[in-house]
Amino acid sequence: MYYRGRSFPIEWNLSVLLGAALMVCLGPMYRFLLLVLFSTGAFAATIYQTGFEAPSITTGLLSGQDNWSGSGSGATTVVETTVVHSGSQAVIVTPQAGNNFGVQHADAASLSSSSILSVSDYVNFSSTGTATYWTPVGTFYSAGGNILLNVDTTGQLVLSINGSNTATGVDVSTGTWNQLGMVINYATGTATAYDNGIAAGSAAFNDSTDLNLTTFQFYSQPNGAATPQVAYFDDLSISTSTATPEPASLLSALAGLTALGLLRRYRR
């Protein structure tokens, strides 16, 4: 097929036709899902996801459960049932006078130059106590690098890439649940911070050796504060996708979804 003097492979020709058929056959909700499929690079694979719920995680110390281990004092990170975002359990981190109190989760994942790593969790920072420097979303790699989403003592979101900080100018509310996250795009070499689904700022990185994710962490740096604020964490998600879906994979996905759309129309 030719368009404006350019030729396109047969896989893409068929994909376009199937895509058009799909948009006609599916209802509004499925059309939205299709748009999301194309706009995100699609075909995401979950690396780790948890709401800190039973039976995989029970109340008490989080360290030692489901591949979680302590960072600083493990006794400060506890699964509780009083303040939750969803379900019946969440985690509270109670910092003590010292540095780096929280937990880390082992996440062995091999990335590539076309990978898009998406990480997020829900955080509720206490509005009482001394404002504390937090890392609610932190990724660490086998080559020694790290890409972190921090909240400084003023409440501002800060992207930190291997120790280089980029302030976003976006403040995080206390006393309520906020979804904080990062999209780390290896194809473009950019990490983007998100606050409740809205892009808050980006920073560039070019460390091509950091292609093996080893751990996810959330923790606090109270820096000697006598009564630092506490924070609650819930609904963590870590996933990866590719920047550009393969034509054959795209064709298969569209064929299956188009069949679903035709079935829905036939049943009407």
Side-chain angles (χ1 to χ4, degrees):
M1 182 175 75
Y2 287 84
Y3 177 70
R4 294 186 176 178
R6 296 181 60 191
S7 62
F8 296 87
I10 185 63
E11 294 91 346
W12 288 109
N13 298 344
L14 293 175
S15 297
V16 170
L17 293 175
L18 285 171
L22 181 62
M23 295 299 285
V24 172
C25 297
L26 296 185
M29 181 181 73
Y30 293 96
R31 290 174 191 160
F32 170 75
L33 292 176
L34 179 64
L35 292 174
V36 171
L37 182 75
F38 279 107
S39 64
T40 60
F43 311 113
T46 299
I47 296 174
Y48 180 68
Q49 193 171 50
T50 183
F52 302 103
E53 299 293 323
S56 57
I57 297 177
T58 59
T59 55
L61 295 181
L62 178 59
S63 181
Q65 301 194 65
D66 199 25
N67 289 325
W68 288 96
S69 58
S71 172
S73 172
T76 66
T77 306
V78 175
V79 182
E80 53 81 51
T81 59
T82 303
V83 180
V84 301
H85 175 257
S86 67
S88 60
Q89 297 182 167
V91 170
I92 181 174
V93 176
T94 305
Q96 299 174 358
N99 289 318
N100 296 7
F101 289 89
V103 287
Q104 62 183 25
H105 187 267
D107 294 294
S110 297
L111 307 172
S112 72
S113 59
S114 61
S115 292
I116 299 175
L117 181 66
S118 301
V119 291
S120 70
D121 55 21
Y122 281 83
V123 189
N124 188 335
F125 297 110
S126 171
S127 55
T128 61
T130 303
T132 299
Y133 198 98
W134 290 91
T135 299
V137 181
T139 58
F140 293 77
Y141 305 85
S142 61
N146 57 73
I147 301 178
L148 316 175
L149 182 59
N150 299 323
V151 177
D152 67 18
T153 55
T154 70
Q156 179 180 202
L157 279 177
V158 179
L159 270 170
S160 177
I161 300 177
N162 298 327
S164 177
N165 295 329
T166 301
T168 66
V170 174
D171 293 330
V172 179
S173 301
T174 60
T176 188
W177 287 100
N178 299 278
Q179 186 186 34
L180 304 179
M182 294 188 297
V183 173
I184 302 168
N185 190 326
Y186 282 84
T188 61
T190 57
T192 303
Y194 283 84
D195 173 33
N196 292 310
I198 300 174
S202 298
F205 68 94
N206 56 10
D207 192 348
S208 60
T209 62
D210 280 343
L211 290 174
N212 293 298
L213 177 69
T214 56
T215 62
F216 171 89
Q217 301 183 24
F218 56 81
Y219 57 92
S220 168
Q221 300 179 55
N223 296 321
T227 56
Q229 69 182 151
V230 303
Y232 299 88
F233 294 82
D234 205 352
D235 295 328
L236 164 66
S237 177
I238 308 171
S239 64
T240 184
S241 60
T242 53
T244 305
E246 293 291 332
S249 300
L250 180 61
L251 181 61
S252 299
L254 284 174
L257 289 174
T258 302
L260 174 63
L262 291 173
L263 179 62
R264 290 182 73 251
R265 288 179 64 88
Y266 174 74
R267 285 179 175 175
R268 290 174 183 173

